[in-house]
């Protein structure tokens, strides 16, 4: 088979889908119709040469398995359905569609994406499920967020922005750097449903960052921001005399790594194993033994001399 320029098609070695009756092609056309985009735009979204898409839809070229997987991902449908299986309906909503918030449809989509990722994992959530939770169509979701990376990025940004707002409020109210650090530790301990959701989304980000350069850059940006916040608090604590002389950046690396490891244990182990209380106590012990000036004011958040 030749490419659009008359030379050998570089995909000839790839697995191609048998489509003698044209059923696969018909379903790909249906996906494009649902999204309401041009063939050229659809080709861009699935990272495919427009001429190859045109020839595949015209019956002179067969889709590869990799192309079918990308089409299913972007179209919010099952790969099996594209290959001829009956269409799997969107998961039945356990509640009424979420109300559109003041921020509009994109914010609604992001909030429901966060909830669904926390419940099922990023790769267990289909665009059709997000659309059902929002009471809209997959095409509407793709209009705002063309692909999975965009959805994950938006979900992470929303979680981190929410976290940043809570951090700022607590830091502004704290009397000294030690109290600021204890506030940050409390925020990172997954006790509430919202804290657990944010941690679960963060764990999915780690997994995606290991495989995607774009998501990896997002992870690096937010992690650098988080460690800088911790290092700045430690630096203020040294200047105030509530923390021992220390290297703020290296100590922030140690503390954030400890937080990550403990939070992962809280989320991944049985309730009677490592829990939020155990995590919080371990972090306070680190602050007490490694950071706090022995005769400084306050111990573990209590006034000096209290039990």
């Amino acid at each position: 088979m030749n490419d659009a320029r008359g030379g050998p098609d570089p995909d000839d070695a790839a697995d191609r889908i048998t489509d003698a009756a044209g059923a696969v092609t018909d379903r790909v056309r249906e996906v494009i119709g649902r999204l309401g985009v041009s063939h050229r735009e659809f080709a861009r979204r699935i990272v495919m040469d427009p001429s190859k898409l045109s020839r595949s839809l015209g019956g002179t070229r067969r889709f590869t398995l990799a192309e079918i997987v990308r089409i299913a991902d972007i179209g919010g449908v099952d790969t099996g359905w594209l290959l001829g299986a009956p269409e799997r309906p969107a998961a039945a909503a356990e509640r009424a569609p979420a109300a559109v918030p003041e921020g509009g449809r994109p914010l609604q989509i992001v909030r429901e994406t966060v909830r669904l990722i926390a419940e099922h994992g990023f790769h267990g959530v289909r665009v059709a499920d997000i659309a059902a939770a929002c009471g809209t169509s997959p095409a509407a979701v793709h209009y705002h967020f063309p692909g999975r990376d965009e959805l994950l990025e938006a979900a992470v940004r929303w979680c981190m922005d929410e976290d940043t707002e809570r951090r700022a409020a607590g830091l502004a109210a704290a009397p000294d750097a030690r109290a600021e650090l204890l506030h940050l530790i409390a925020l990172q301990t997954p006790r509430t449903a919202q804290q657990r959701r944010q941690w679960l989304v963060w764990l999915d980000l780690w997994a995606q960052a290991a495989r995607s350069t774009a998501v990896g850059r997002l992870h690096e940006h937010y992690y650098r921001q988080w460690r800088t916040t911790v290092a700045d608090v430690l630096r203020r604590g040294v200047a105030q005399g509530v923390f021992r002389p220390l290297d703020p950046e290296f100590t922030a690396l140690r503390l954030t790594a400890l937080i990550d490891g403990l939070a992962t244990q809280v989320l991944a182990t049985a309730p009677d194993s490592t829990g939020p209380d155990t995590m919080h106590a371990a972090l306070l012990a680190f602050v007490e033994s490694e950071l706090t000036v022995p005769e400084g004011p306050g111990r573990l958040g209590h006034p000096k001399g209290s039990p």
Side-chain angles (χ1 to χ4, degrees):
M1 186 176 292
N2 293 336
D3 67 10
R5 297 165 297 182
D9 190 329
D11 285 339
D12 268 343
D15 292 333
R16 293 187 178 278
I17 303 302
T18 300
D19 188 26
V24 174
T25 299
D26 288 343
R27 292 194 174 190
V28 173
R29 287 182 183 279
E30 184 177 339
V31 168
I32 297 173
R34 290 180 185 181
L35 293 178
V37 298
S38 68
H39 287 187
R40 179 170 292 277
E41 171 60 17
F42 186 74
R44 185 192 68 79
R45 293 188 183 186
I46 63 173
V47 195
M48 184 178 181
D49 186 279
S51 67
K52 288 185 179 181
L53 176 63
S54 178
R55 287 186 288 120
S56 297
L57 293 174
T60 61
R61 177 186 182 275
R62 288 180 294 155
F63 287 104
T64 67
L65 180 58
E67 289 164 353
I68 288 295
V69 170
R70 292 200 299 271
I71 290 169
D73 184 27
I74 294 299
V77 299
D78 288 338
T79 303
W81 174 76
L82 277 176
L83 296 176
E87 183 170 17
R88 178 166 71 92
E94 296 179 358
R95 59 176 189 173
V100 179
E102 186 176 339
R105 181 71 75 187
L107 179 57
Q108 180 199 35
I109 292 171
V110 169
R111 285 180 175 177
E112 291 306 296
T113 298
V114 168
R115 180 180 66 81
L116 290 168
I117 290 174
E119 292 177 0
H120 306 292
F122 184 64
H123 287 290
V125 178
R126 299 176 306 153
V127 173
D129 301 323
I130 298 170
C134 295
T136 189
S137 67
V141 176
H142 281 304
Y143 175 79
H144 296 289
F145 306 100
R148 282 181 172 270
D149 281 357
E150 287 88 351
L151 272 169
L152 179 59
E153 177 177 347
V156 170
R157 286 187 184 280
W158 184 75
C159 286
M160 295 302 101
D161 289 346
E162 290 279 297
D163 193 42
T164 298
E165 288 183 12
R166 287 194 298 275
R167 283 184 208 163
L171 295 182
D176 60 24
R178 190 171 182 281
E180 291 178 15
L181 188 61
L182 297 184
H183 168 70
L184 293 179
I185 287 173
L187 285 180
Q188 295 303 310
T189 304
R191 296 185 186 277
T192 68
Q194 182 178 15
Q195 287 172 322
R196 291 183 67 87
R197 278 195 297 270
Q198 290 187 337
W199 264 110
L200 289 167
V201 171
W202 188 249
L203 292 180
D204 265 85
L205 175 68
W206 281 345
Q208 287 293 107
R211 300 174 176 86
S212 166
T213 301
V215 178
R217 285 195 294 266
L218 177 68
H219 172 272
E220 180 185 6
H221 169 75
Y222 277 109
Y223 216 88
R224 187 190 310 117
Q225 184 184 79
W226 162 232
R227 274 206 301 258
T228 297
T229 297
V230 175
D232 288 345
V233 170
L234 294 172
R235 191 174 290 106
R236 284 195 295 274
V238 172
Q240 293 170 359
V242 296
F243 293 147
R244 304 172 185 182
L246 48 81
D247 181 332
E249 283 74 23
F250 184 65
T251 305
L253 173 64
R254 293 174 61 204
L255 179 55
T256 55
L258 181 60
I259 290 172
D260 293 342
L262 287 168
T264 302
Q265 290 186 43
V266 171
L267 295 168
T269 58
D272 58 349
S273 183
T274 304
D277 290 342
T278 302
M279 171 181 173
H280 194 244
L283 292 171
L284 292 185
F286 177 87
V287 173
E288 181 69 10
S289 63
E290 301 289 328
L291 310 181
T292 304
V293 174
E295 297 302 321
R299 306 279 290 186
L300 290 178
H302 299 294
K304 186 176 180 181
S306 65

